[in-house]
Amino acid sequence: GAGKSTALKAIFGLAPIDEGQVLWHEELIRPVTFEMANLGIAFVPQGRRVFKHLTVEKNLEIGGFTIKNKSEIKRRIAELMEMFPALKTKRRSKSGTLSGGQQQMLAIARGLMTEPKVLLLDEPSLGLAPKLVKEVFAKIKEINARHKPAIMIVEHNLKSLLEIVDRAYVLDKGRVVAHDSGKAIIN
């Protein structure tokens, strides 16, 4: 109820903005959902939202909806399959048959199809076992190191997340009550 998910949704154009503003490269924008991918912003919603009746590969193709070149889509899918080996072995499986952790990895991979400059992740550890949470957070850290997108994560599981972030903001009832490095917030 602090407004974490609503903030992400507002940035992506999925929730109205009553107060504040969204700046992109220091210019005020009015976020429109279908235009955000073209700006270089991707949103991965909470709850491992994958198209369960479609294969892993088809889910990734949908993530690349703005890419017109079919060979580029294939190249990006191949790159993501290397980054997420568990998905590679299941590429032709319906995504509804994947484990919760695999579905979350698929949702993140689908968000990466457009090679975003900013990746918005809403509760990526929701409903995952502690071991899987560590794997998801390690993969997020790898994505940041390898592809260099800015990653904004909304998360309840603070302790694990604070170990991998550069900067943290703590919200209470829609207001920032603390901000510092992840390590300083832990301390």
Side-chain angles (χ1 to χ4, degrees):
K4 300 180 306 293
S5 292
T6 301
L8 278 191
K9 289 175 185 173
I11 291 168
F12 200 69
L14 294 169
I17 299 173
D18 295 329
E19 270 184 60
Q21 46 189 254
V22 177
L23 301 174
W24 181 248
H25 295 283
E26 300 181 25
E27 292 197 26
L28 178 67
I29 63 167
R30 300 274 176 230
V32 178
T33 304
F34 67 88
E35 294 174 353
M36 300 313 279
N38 288 331
L39 287 178
I41 302 171
F43 177 67
V44 178
Q46 68 180 6
R48 303 185 298 271
R49 295 202 183 144
V50 296
F51 298 102
K52 294 183 178 186
H53 62 286
L54 297 178
T55 65
V56 166
E57 195 164 25
K58 288 292 181 193
N59 267 271
L60 293 175
E61 284 178 19
I62 288 171
F65 73 98
T66 62
I67 306 164
K68 304 303 177 211
N69 183 320
K70 289 189 186 283
S71 63
E72 180 62 14
I73 290 172
K74 287 182 192 251
R75 181 195 70 76
R76 291 184 189 187
I77 289 173
E79 184 179 305
L80 289 166
M81 291 295 179
E82 293 305 316
M83 183 182 286
F84 297 92
L87 298 180
K88 187 176 185 177
T89 62
K90 305 234 178 200
R91 77 182 303 145
R92 293 195 180 16
S93 300
K94 298 230 188 252
S95 62
T97 65
L98 302 177
S99 71
Q102 291 168 333
Q103 286 182 19
Q104 186 60 53
M105 294 294 189
L106 175 57
I108 293 169
R110 191 177 59 211
L112 292 171
M113 275 296 292
T114 59
E115 296 180 344
K117 296 174 188 98
V118 177
L119 181 61
L120 307 173
L121 300 175
D122 194 1
E123 299 281 358
S125 76
L126 186 68
L128 298 180
K131 180 183 177 215
L132 290 175
V133 170
K134 286 190 182 289
E135 286 179 33
V136 168
F137 287 165
K139 190 56 74 174
I140 290 168
K141 188 172 174 108
E142 176 188 334
I143 290 164
N144 180 254
R146 192 184 224 183
H147 296 280
K148 306 289 187 228
I151 302 175
M152 185 171 178
I153 305 171
V154 161
E155 183 61 60
H156 274 93
N157 190 339
L158 284 182
K159 187 170 185 316
S160 297
L161 181 63
L162 289 172
E163 293 173 3
I164 69 163
V165 301
D166 295 322
R167 191 112 191 112
Y169 295 83
V170 180
L171 297 180
D172 182 30
K173 298 180 184 102
R175 302 277 176 228
V176 175
V177 295
H179 59 91
D180 210 325
S181 69
K183 292 185 185 345
I185 297 283
I186 288 171
N187 293 334

